[in-house]
């Protein structure tokens, strides 16, 4: 799907609140349709796997689906697969600090523990969900126990959730979802690839929550993109449902934060298309964006978090 900058600006200038609301409702409609399908197969498929590349909005989408299912009367729990990372040894930490360790690899996940717990959840057995301490690169006890009752659903979200070498439980237990930006933004002859929208999200998030400059995000971008092409994209065809997380107003919301800083990155010509699109978009005040919007995962002040 493509959307033109002129169409976006028309909506923002004429009725910003209405334009934002319509985009949010369109997204929620996607999720409600999928939730209906999940409900229909809940007894034989109690586990939902949700995958997508960096900046795709996995976490918020998972929580939105959980909320829809909860409100329909089907108790649902969301678990981040990040909690199943293997602890790093001292030597591995040193390699990671030097950029000599593949942090995107599915081998970072403790597949044995993850599959064991998915099987236990499917059988309704009590488990303790692990917790990963990113500051120390180690896994610890969370004290959070889960025992799935009949009819309840569990969502596991993570970049490797559709990798069949990592998730080995039978497909007959699973509903598989893939989320990403699929819409292209056009500005004259310039067509902005969906990956650039995800990059803009990463820039905003890294700046807001990780204290990284845009240059630091760009320095990491090629490795992240290579990891996506190697470990995530090859398995998106396995999804039962494909979700486009693009919000028609989001680049307008990012414009003010990014436009001046992008001007300092002239040595990254791959950003020319993003810069051109942002320059031609009307700015959108964040006050027009409700806290249940998917893009609040990147802007902050969102309703959904672990």
């Amino acid at each position: 799907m493509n959307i033109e900058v002129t169409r976006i600006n028309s909506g923002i200038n004429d009725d910003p609140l209405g334009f934002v609301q319509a985009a949010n409702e369109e997204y929620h409609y996607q999720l409600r349709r999928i939730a209906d399908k999940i409900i229909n197969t809940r007894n034989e498929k109690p586990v939902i796997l949700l995958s997508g590349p960096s900046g795709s909005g996995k976490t918020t989408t998972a929580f939105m689906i959980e909320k829809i299912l909860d409100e329909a009367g089907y108790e649902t729990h969301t678990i981040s697969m990040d909690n199943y990372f293997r602890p790093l040894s001292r030597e591995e930490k040193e390699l990671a600090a030097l950029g000599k360790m593949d942090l995107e690899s599915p081998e970072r996940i403790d597949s044995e523990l993850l599959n064991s717990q998915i099987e236990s959840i499917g059988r309704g057995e009590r488990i303790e969900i692990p917790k990963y301490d990113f500051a120390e690169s180690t896994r610890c006890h969370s004290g959070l126990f889960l025992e799935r009752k009949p009819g309840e659903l569990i969502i596991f979200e993570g970049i490797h959730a559709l990798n069949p070498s990592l998730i080995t439980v039978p497909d007959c237990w699973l509903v598989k979802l893939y989320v990403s930006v699929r819409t292209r933004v056009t500005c004259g002859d310039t067509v902005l690839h969906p990956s650039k929208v995800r990059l803009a999200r990463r820039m905003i998030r890294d700046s807001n929550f990780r204290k990284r400059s845009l240059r630091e995000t760009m320095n990491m971008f090629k490795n992240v993109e290579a990891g996506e092409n190697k470990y995530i994209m090859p398995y998106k065809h396995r999804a039962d449902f494909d979700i486009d997380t693009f919000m028609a107003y989001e680049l307008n919301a990012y414009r003010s934060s990014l436009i001046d800083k992008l001007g300092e990155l002239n040595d990254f010509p791959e950003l020319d298309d993003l810069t051109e699109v942002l320059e031609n978009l009307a700015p959108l005040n964040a006050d027009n964006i409700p806290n249940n919007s998917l893009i609040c995962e990147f802007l902050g002040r969102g309703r959904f978090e672990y």
Side-chain angles (χ1 to χ4, degrees), residues 19 28 55 58 68 74 94 107 118 167 201 228 270:
F19 189 71
H28 292 157
K58 294 183 296 299
I68 292 169
Y74 304 97
E94 292 172 355
E107 293 182 2
I118 292 176
I167 307 290
R201 291 175 174 182
E228 292 170 354
E270 60 266 40

Side-chain angles (χ1 to χ4, degrees), residues 2-263:
N2 290 356
I3 186 170
E4 297 179 355
V5 162
T6 52
R7 178 187 162 194
I8 296 173
N9 284 343
S10 177
I12 294 294
N13 291 327
D14 293 347
D15 181 10
L17 281 172
F19 189 71
V20 168
Q21 182 178 354
N24 288 344
E25 180 56 35
E26 183 178 348
Y27 187 63
H28 292 157
Y29 176 71
Q30 278 192 82
L31 302 189
R32 287 194 296 270
R33 287 183 61 194
I34 291 169
D36 287 342
K37 302 288 187 182
I38 291 171
I39 290 168
N40 289 339
T41 60
R42 67 188 182 282
N43 292 324
E44 61 268 31
K45 296 186 174 185
V47 177
I48 301 153
L49 302 180
L50 190 150
S51 173
S54 176
S56 61
K58 294 183 296 299
T59 301
T60 299
T61 300
F63 281 126
M64 285 181 172
I65 292 173
E66 176 185 336
K67 184 173 185 291
I68 292 169
L69 292 169
D70 284 346
E71 290 176 348
Y74 304 97
E75 185 71 21
T76 304
H77 310 273
T78 299
I79 300 172
S80 171
M81 285 175 52
D82 289 357
N83 289 316
Y84 294 85
F85 281 147
R86 298 180 186 276
L88 296 183
S89 66
R90 184 177 65 182
E91 292 76 13
E92 288 172 328
K93 290 178 184 178
E94 292 172 355
L95 289 173
L98 295 171
K100 295 182 179 179
M101 184 175 178
D102 186 357
L103 298 176
E104 307 298 321
S105 171
E107 293 182 2
R108 287 203 66 205
I109 300 287
D110 186 339
S111 176
E112 184 177 352
L113 174 62
L114 176 60
N115 284 285
S116 172
Q117 291 210 332
I118 292 176
E119 290 174 2
S120 294
I121 285 170
R123 292 190 294 263
E125 298 170 356
R126 189 170 185 260
I127 64 163
E128 181 182 8
I129 300 169
K131 180 176 177 58
Y132 196 81
D133 183 338
F134 283 90
E136 299 296 329
S137 298
T138 189
R139 201 168 60 222
C140 54
H141 292 287
S142 67
L144 179 60
F145 292 87
L146 176 64
E147 184 176 340
R148 187 184 71 85
K149 299 178 179 62
E152 291 187 352
L153 295 155
I154 310 293
I155 301 173
F156 282 88
E157 68 92 1
I159 61 175
H160 300 301
L162 298 185
N163 188 327
S165 67
L166 183 67
I167 307 290
T168 58
V169 298
D171 272 1
C172 61
W173 286 16
L174 309 172
V175 176
K176 300 184 291 296
L177 311 179
Y178 182 81
V179 303
S180 191
V181 176
R182 306 304 295 271
T183 298
R184 288 170 166 77
V185 180
T186 61
C187 181
D189 294 331
T190 298
V191 180
L192 189 68
H193 191 271
S195 64
K196 297 296 180 64
V197 177
R198 292 192 292 105
L199 174 59
R201 291 175 174 182
R202 282 175 53 85
M203 288 176 166
I204 292 289
R205 182 183 61 195
D206 285 359
S207 176
N208 285 342
F209 303 116
R210 301 174 183 177
K211 307 305 178 187
R212 289 180 188 148
S213 67
L214 266 61
R215 182 170 295 279
E216 288 174 311
T217 299
M218 282 306 299
N219 287 337
M220 298 172 62
F221 178 61
K222 286 189 172 162
N223 285 338
V224 171
E225 193 172 41
E228 292 170 354
N229 291 331
K230 184 176 181 181
Y231 300 126
I232 304 172
M233 304 302 186
Y235 307 114
K236 63 183 182 181
H237 70 278
R238 300 187 67 240
D240 301 307
F241 302 101
D242 194 351
I243 303 170
D244 185 356
T245 66
F246 178 72
M247 298 285 111
Y249 58 86
E250 66 175 287
L251 290 173
N252 304 74
Y254 307 151
R255 185 187 190 282
S256 298
S257 297
L258 293 181
I259 195 70
D260 291 337
K261 296 175 182 177
L262 284 172

